Amino acid sequence: MAKIISIGNQKGGCGKTTTSVNLAAGLALLGKTVLLVDMDPQGNASLTFGINIEDIHISIADILLDNDIEFKYNIFKKGPIHIAPSNPTLNLAEERLYSMTDRFKRLSFRLEEVRDRYDYIIIDCPPSIGVLTTNALMASDGVIIPVDVGFYALVGVRQFLAKIEDVKELNPKLELMGVVVTRYNERNVISREVLGKVKDAFGDKLFKTPIRHDVKLIEAPGHLKSVFEHSWRGRGAEDYLNFAKEVSKCKR
């Protein structure tokens, strides 16, 4: 039975999709069966795995809206990783979901069809707090929040934490698994200062592995690859593999 983990942050540009993609790939390298669910209408996680999002016959939007479509028909396979892709039609689906009485439980309901096939289901949330993110949190056992080391690193995190607490009233099993620092540069004063602030704010909820700045992490999506495929010996690959090991050791 899969552990379902949402990767989310209300703030864009924090490494959310990069973390979703490379955590999924890292867990697969550790021998885990993984499904990555792309809940971002931009479809960047899907694009990273080489999926032509403009030519998807059945997207996650269709799965959310139509119970007659089996979830398996939305799944693409890339090696050991399975991907449930999205595209901009998810924006239209979001509008339609608001009229449904079970609008916040659609994803949870549909994932039950495939949950027993995987060790982990990773959900890439959109950079907003709305019905799509609520669906992800309602379906999840845990949440991981990527925080980049910039001046505005903690902007939006409090609102996202408040959203998690709201959802926990309806989904008591949901927990904050932790916060992962991204784009860390140990030579940079701001990076070190922000890391200290995050430690003060989250304590033992901060993952021990910061994801260091690595140009290979930026290049990899352009090559339609995870960082492991693009640069196995780089810092980004090393850090995301260590991060995946941390996640795999979290209580299930």
Side-chain angles (χ1 to χ4, degrees), residues 15-243:
K16 176 185 60 62
T17 296
T18 299
T19 296
S20 299
V21 166
N22 292 301
L23 173 58
L27 289 168
L29 281 173
L30 296 175
K32 309 298 182 182
T33 53
V34 183
L35 170 66
L36 175 63
V37 179
D38 192 347
M39 284 290 283
D40 189 337
Q42 297 177 87
N44 288 337
S46 307
L47 287 167
T48 299
F49 284 106
I51 298 170
N52 182 355
I53 64 173
E54 295 181 0
D55 194 36
I56 300 172
H57 296 297
I58 297 174
S59 73
I60 195 66
D62 300 301
I63 296 299
L64 291 172
L65 296 175
D66 191 342
N67 290 339
D68 292 331
I69 300 175
E70 294 184 49
F71 198 103
K72 65 181 181 181
Y73 294 119
N74 176 225
I75 294 176
F76 285 67
K77 299 178 182 179
K78 184 172 183 182
I81 304 171
H82 292 187
I83 305 104
S86 77
N87 59 22
T89 62
L90 193 53
N91 284 316
L92 300 175
E94 185 173 16
E95 295 176 10
R96 290 181 58 188
L97 283 170
Y98 277 107
S99 65
M100 297 183 173
T101 56
D102 61 348
R103 56 188 173 275
F104 297 132
K105 298 181 179 180
R106 299 295 300 168
L107 182 61
S108 179
F109 171 69
R110 298 311 308 269
L111 286 180
E112 288 302 316
E113 296 177 31
V114 296
R115 186 170 185 172
D116 62 354
R117 303 177 193 174
Y118 300 98
D119 296 314
Y120 289 92
I121 296 175
I122 307 298
I123 305 174
D124 184 29
C125 297
S128 62
I129 297 176
V131 68
L132 297 177
T133 295
T134 303
N135 261 272
L137 296 177
M138 285 291 291
S140 295
D141 304 301
V143 188
I144 294 173
I145 304 176
V147 176
D148 65 308
V149 286
F151 280 116
Y152 306 108
L154 297 177
V155 171
V157 173
R158 289 182 180 176
Q159 294 97 318
F160 196 77
L161 290 171
K163 182 64 176 180
I164 292 171
E165 290 302 313
D166 288 343
V167 173
K168 284 181 70 172
E169 295 183 9
L170 299 173
N171 177 16
K173 71 178 185 297
L174 182 67
E175 65 169 344
L176 174 64
M177 293 177 64
V179 173
V180 58
V181 167
T182 62
R183 300 176 184 173
Y184 179 67
N185 184 346
E186 60 188 4
R187 297 181 180 180
N188 185 290
V189 174
I190 294 175
S191 283
R192 296 198 301 270
E193 288 179 352
V194 171
L195 180 61
K197 290 180 180 179
V198 176
K199 283 182 179 178
D200 290 341
F202 293 99
D204 62 2
K205 287 293 186 181
L206 174 65
F207 283 99
K208 294 178 182 178
T209 305
I211 308 301
R212 290 169 291 177
H213 174 74
D214 183 2
V215 68
K216 299 300 182 181
L217 283 169
I218 300 171
E219 293 175 351
H223 293 274
L224 307 180
K225 295 178 178 179
S226 72
V227 71
F228 302 105
E229 297 169 287
H230 181 57
S231 179
W232 169 247
R233 297 184 183 277
R235 288 177 298 180
E238 178 185 350
D239 292 344
Y240 270 114
L241 184 59
N242 286 333
F243 173 57

